[in-house]
Amino acid sequence: MGTGIYALAQHLTSEGIPSPSAYDPDRNKHRCGLAWSKSAVRTILRNPRYTGYQVWNRQRKQESLIDVEDVALGHRTRLAWNPREEWIFSDQQVHPALVSREVFEEVQLRIGSRGPTSSGRALRTRHHYALKGLMVCGVCGRRMQ
């Protein structure tokens, strides 16, 4: 334990372990697949599904009125995260694990102890980019960020 996400990504790449985009290039035509990215490693370490267990009740739909003065406009539905103690894990593994439950729990504790509040950093504010979402990838059709 104690290895950072960047070092893990470098190690996986140097060991020749195919990254998700290299393993399934048909689903990832917009990525080169040459190396592991930090974001792929972080996603795997943050998602309990990679422990091999099925996980239910991670999110819930949250509905709110679009305009309280005009109920006829309807509702806006957004997904919201449930607290971790409300997640439900299957009793048995349903597929091979990439990360053990012990490692997953340790990573969650470490990630949870970090962040802007623990280090004194200021929270980032959302930037409004004028061209956000207007450019589209010619290969896969996804909107550029």
Side-chain angles (χ1 to χ4, degrees), residues 73-93:
L73 288 176
H75 292 85
R76 175 179 299 130
T77 304
R78 294 185 179 170
L79 290 176
W81 289 99
N82 287 325
R84 283 187 38 88
E85 52 275 0
E86 291 181 16
W87 294 1
I88 302 167
F89 286 79
S90 62
D91 293 333
Q92 299 165 359
Q93 282 189 312

Side-chain angles (χ1 to χ4, degrees), residues 55-69:
V55 185
W56 295 278
N57 199 38
R58 289 178 61 200
Q59 292 183 313
R60 67 184 180 285
K61 287 183 180 178
Q62 205 165 24
E63 294 187 348
S64 59
L65 287 170
I66 293 173
D67 183 356
V68 292
E69 302 295 327

Side-chain angles (χ1 to χ4, degrees), residues 1 6 32 38-39 50 68-69 92-93 107 111-112 119 130 139:
M1 224 31 181
Y6 182 74
C32 67
K38 292 186 296 184
S39 62
Y50 291 103
V68 292
E69 302 295 327
Q92 299 165 359
Q93 282 189 312
V107 168
I111 290 174
S119 64
V139 176

Side-chain angles (χ1 to χ4, degrees), residues 83-123:
R84 283 187 38 88
E85 52 275 0
E86 291 181 16
W87 294 1
I88 302 167
F89 286 79
S90 62
D91 293 333
Q92 299 165 359
Q93 282 189 312
V94 293
H95 58 80
L98 294 181
V99 178
S100 71
R101 291 259 321 246
E102 295 77 25
V103 169
F104 175 79
E105 294 301 331
E106 177 69 23
V107 168
Q108 303 322 298
L109 289 173
R110 287 180 183 223
I111 290 174
S113 69
R114 296 180 181 173
T117 55
S118 65
S119 64
R121 291 177 294 176
L123 289 171

